[in-house]
Amino acid sequence: AGPNADTVESLDPVIRIFRLTRIIRALRVVRGGGHARELRKMSYALQYSAYTLFWAMLALAFVMYFFATAFTEAAMEHNLAELEKGNAPAYMSQLMSDFGTMPRSFYSLFTAVTSGRDWGEFVETISNIHWGCAPLFVVFVAL
C-alpha cells in the first residue's frame, strides 16, 4: 500500500460513525412523522388480513376436497359400472378427463369457479352419471 493507506484506515471509524448517525436520523424522521402512524396501520391491516386470507383459503381447499372426492368417486364408480356392462358411452372420455382423478377434479373445480371454463360444460358432463350430481355441482359453484 502507500502512505495514504494509513490515513484511510484511521478515518474508517469516523466514517462508520457518520453512517450510523445518518441511519439513526433517517429512522427518527420516519418514526416521528405523522405518516409513519398511517404506514404502521396499513402494515398491521395487511398482516391481519393475510391471517384471515390464509384461513379462508384453507376453508376453500377443504370444500374443494370434499366435492372433488365426491365427483371423482362418482365418476370412477360410473366408469366401472359401464365397463362391466361392456358399454363405452361417448361422454366417458370427457368425464374421465375432467373427474377421473383427484388432481383432475381439483383442476376442474378450480377452473369452474375462476371462470377458466364454463361450469355449464362440467354440469352437462357430470349429469350423465346420476341426476343428483348436477345439483351438487351447482351447489359447489354457488358456495
Side-chain angles (χ1 to χ4, degrees), residues 74-93 95-96 128-130:
M76 293 305 293
E77 289 293 325
H78 183 69
N79 187 26
L80 289 175
E82 291 297 323
L83 287 176
E84 286 177 1
K85 292 178 189 175
N87 294 342
Y91 62 85
M92 192 58 71
S93 63
L95 181 66
M96 288 294 108
N128 292 314
I129 297 174
H130 188 268

Side-chain angles (χ1 to χ4, degrees), residues 7-89:
T7 56
V8 171
E9 289 177 8
S10 65
L11 290 177
D12 192 36
V14 175
I15 293 173
R16 286 185 183 181
I17 289 173
F18 280 128
R19 286 181 182 163
L20 184 62
T21 52
R22 280 190 4 212
I23 291 171
I24 291 172
R25 190 179 310 150
L27 289 175
R28 284 179 50 198
V29 167
V30 170
R31 187 175 154 225
H35 61 279
R37 185 177 303 122
E38 297 301 319
L39 181 62
R40 198 174 314 126
K41 284 181 187 177
M42 288 185 346
S43 69
Y44 287 146
L46 283 173
Q47 178 184 356
Y48 291 115
S49 66
Y51 183 74
T52 304
L53 177 66
F54 168 75
W55 287 110
M57 295 300 285
L58 189 65
L60 179 63
F62 280 133
V63 168
M64 284 182 67
Y65 179 76
F66 168 76
F67 283 98
T69 304
F71 293 135
T72 302
E73 184 67 27
M76 293 305 293
E77 289 293 325
H78 183 69
N79 187 26
L80 289 175
E82 291 297 323
L83 287 176
E84 286 177 1
K85 292 178 189 175
N87 294 342

Side-chain angles (χ1 to χ4, degrees), residues 111-112 115-124 137:
T111 56
S115 298
R117 257 177 80 187
D118 186 25
W119 60 269
E121 296 174 20
F122 294 118
V123 170
E124 287 177 20
F137 195 87

